[in-house]
Amino acid sequence: MPLFVNEEKKSNETKAIKEFTDRVEPRNVFWKNYSLIENAMTSNEKIPIQVVNFYGIGGTGKTRLLEQLRYEMGEKARNAKVCYIDFEKLKGFNG
């Protein structure tokens, strides 16, 4: 996470900036697929089924990526509906 020194105070105090600075390619894939679906809906075309799957070993930022995409959806696509399925929680449900 980037840090900066507050130059106005001229102190040694550092402050963290909460900023999502990684995962450009997965975010671009998501928004590309979102645009395809949105365009199909507005032109009354058959809507292509699109599934974007993020996978990898634990601790690589998949959950944080999803949180960022949900935030961006709120900013860019206010009328969109978001569904998040945590398959880990479904393990007991499915036997």
Side-chain angles (χ1 to χ4, degrees), residues 19-30:
E19 186 176 311
F20 192 77
T21 59
D22 198 4
R23 307 295 183 150
V24 172
E25 186 177 347
R27 288 167 59 212
N28 288 342
V29 168
F30 174 83

Side-chain angles (χ1 to χ4, degrees), residues 43-58:
S43 63
N44 293 325
E45 294 177 25
K46 184 176 180 182
I47 299 173
I49 296 174
Q50 296 288 326
V51 176
V52 179
N53 182 26
F54 300 110
Y55 63 93
I57 60 173

